Amino acid sequence: MSPRGQLILIEGLDRSGKSTQSSILTAKFSKSKLLKFPDRTTKIGSIINEYLTDKSVQLSDQSAHLLFSANRWELNNEIIQLLNEGYFIILDRYIYSGIAYSLAKYEFSKRNANDSTVTSTVDEQIGDVNWLIGPDLGLPKPDLTLFLTLDLAELSNRKGWGEERYELQEFQTIVKKSFLRILPTDTDDSIEIVDVNNKNIEQVTKLIWDIVEKKGVNALTENPIKKVSIN
Ligand code: ADP
Ligand code: TMP
Ligand code: MG
């Protein structure tokens, strides 16, 4: 089999610069494709879009979680095929967002359990990382994951902040903690935390490209496509 392209994931908090950086990174490769999750253009993606943009749309936390995962499975075959055809695929969010946001909902509802304005109940599955990763097991695993992190104060100044369901300062603080808890940076050297505090777009682009080169994910590889697994 001929060498394949590589799968590079850009994760991070809302408005941390993921979409900006993933487009720039995609343009650096001559044969590449940018995929954004949630992909709001698919059947399942359109339900997710409604859920995110219309706060009156009610879904249980478990079903929302499964829809985000199902949305990734909608693109599974396309990702594998493109990698095998030598494309570099840049992902704007993926499995770690899936786990971190659901886990954050659990922590958030637990904190607000005594607040009568919050109607959702605390569902134990949403606090269980093993349950949360279940539906994603077997999806293609990124060759490199970059997690963009910055202070919450800087984040809330960025354009467009606050428009969607999860963009609340308190919730984002919990999301950040959840990401840092679930990203296995100690045992998995394909995951890198990128501190983007006080860095402009060009500076972040350089930081990212330096890591991509250092990890050798800018060239075709003979390695088989990895799968998301428990370890
Ligand atoms: P995300 O996809 O993570 O939500 P975006 O890439 O859409 O974030 O960026 C959110 C906003 O912040 C945009 O207006 C973008 O131009 C701006 N932005 C992105 N990176 C930086 C940066 N390093 N410094 C300042 N503003 C930035
Ligand atoms: P976006 O702002 O990058 O379009 O993402 C939309 C929201 O969806 C964002 O608040 C994070 C959330 N999300 C999940 O809750 N689970 C997931 O699996 C993904 C990919 C995103
Ligand atoms: Mg974005």
Side-chain angles (χ1 to χ4, degrees), residues 10 15 40 46-47 79 81 98 112 121 148-149 152 155 212:
I10 301 198
R15 312 283 157 186
R40 305 185 193 214
S46 76
I47 307 174
I79 292 175
Q81 192 177 337
N112 294 290
T121 52
L148 309 188
T149 182
L152 272 294
L155 201 72
V212 167

Side-chain angles (χ1 to χ4, degrees), residues 189-212:
D189 64 6
S190 72
I191 302 176
E192 292 274 328
I193 309 271
V194 183
D195 183 345
V196 301
N197 273 300
N198 307 312
K199 294 193 179 67
N200 64 30
I201 292 174
E202 292 71 29
Q203 288 168 322
V204 177
T205 300
K206 181 170 183 331
L207 265 181
I208 288 178
W209 188 250
D210 286 349
I211 299 171
V212 167

Side-chain angles (χ1 to χ4, degrees), residues 14 18-19 36-38 40 52 68-69 72 92-94 97-99 101-102 164 166-167 172:
D14 291 271
K18 297 176 303 297
S19 296
K36 172 164 176 28
F37 288 106
R40 305 185 193 214
L52 288 169
F68 278 108
S69 178
R72 289 185 275 281
D92 178 353
R93 289 195 195 277
Y94 195 51
S97 279
I99 303 172
Y101 279 77
S102 289
E164 287 201 340
Y166 298 146
E167 293 180 339
Q172 287 293 318

Side-chain angles (χ1 to χ4, degrees), residues 3-9 22-35 78-92 142-144 209 212-213 215-222 225:
R4 65 166 175 91
Q6 304 220 43
L7 186 59
I8 305 173
L9 164 59
S22 42
S23 314
I24 296 173
L25 185 57
T26 306
K28 286 190 182 270
F29 295 95
S30 54
K31 210 173 159 184
S32 60
K33 177 131 195 214
L34 171 62
L35 296 176
E78 184 183 342
I79 292 175
I80 293 171
Q81 192 177 337
L82 286 170
L83 289 172
N84 285 332
E85 287 171 3
Y87 280 84
F88 285 80
I89 301 185
I90 315 304
L91 302 175
D92 178 353
D143 296 292
L144 177 65
W209 188 250
V212 167
E213 280 191 317
K215 297 278 185 183
V217 287
N218 55 335
L220 295 174
T221 180
E222 303 273 357
I225 298 168

Side-chain angles (χ1 to χ4, degrees), residues 88-149:
F88 285 80
I89 301 185
I90 315 304
L91 302 175
D92 178 353
R93 289 195 195 277
Y94 195 51
I95 53 171
Y96 302 107
S97 279
I99 303 172
Y101 279 77
S102 289
L103 197 56
K105 279 183 179 173
Y106 177 80
E107 296 297 331
F108 189 77
S109 0
K110 239 182 18 178
R111 260 191 216 189
N112 294 290
N114 297 326
D115 178 347
S116 58
T117 60
V118 176
T119 51
S120 67
T121 52
V122 179
D123 298 308
E124 63 183 272
Q125 294 79 20
I126 296 301
D128 176 353
V129 177
N130 285 326
W131 188 89
L132 294 175
I133 196 168
D136 284 334
L137 294 176
L139 282 169
K141 180 173 190 278
D143 296 292
L144 177 65
T145 294
L146 299 155
F147 175 70
L148 309 188
T149 182

Side-chain angles (χ1 to χ4, degrees), residues 134-179:
D136 284 334
L137 294 176
L139 282 169
K141 180 173 190 278
D143 296 292
L144 177 65
T145 294
L146 299 155
F147 175 70
L148 309 188
T149 182
L150 81 168
D151 295 342
L152 272 294
E154 193 173 325
L155 201 72
S156 53
N157 289 331
R158 290 199 175 173
K159 214 173 117 215
W161 172 266
E163 286 167 2
E164 287 201 340
R165 184 178 282 261
Y166 298 146
E167 293 180 339
L168 299 163
Q169 180 100 359
E170 187 192 354
F171 186 70
Q172 287 293 318
T173 309
I174 305 174
V175 170
K176 185 173 178 179
K177 278 201 191 123
S178 301
F179 266 119

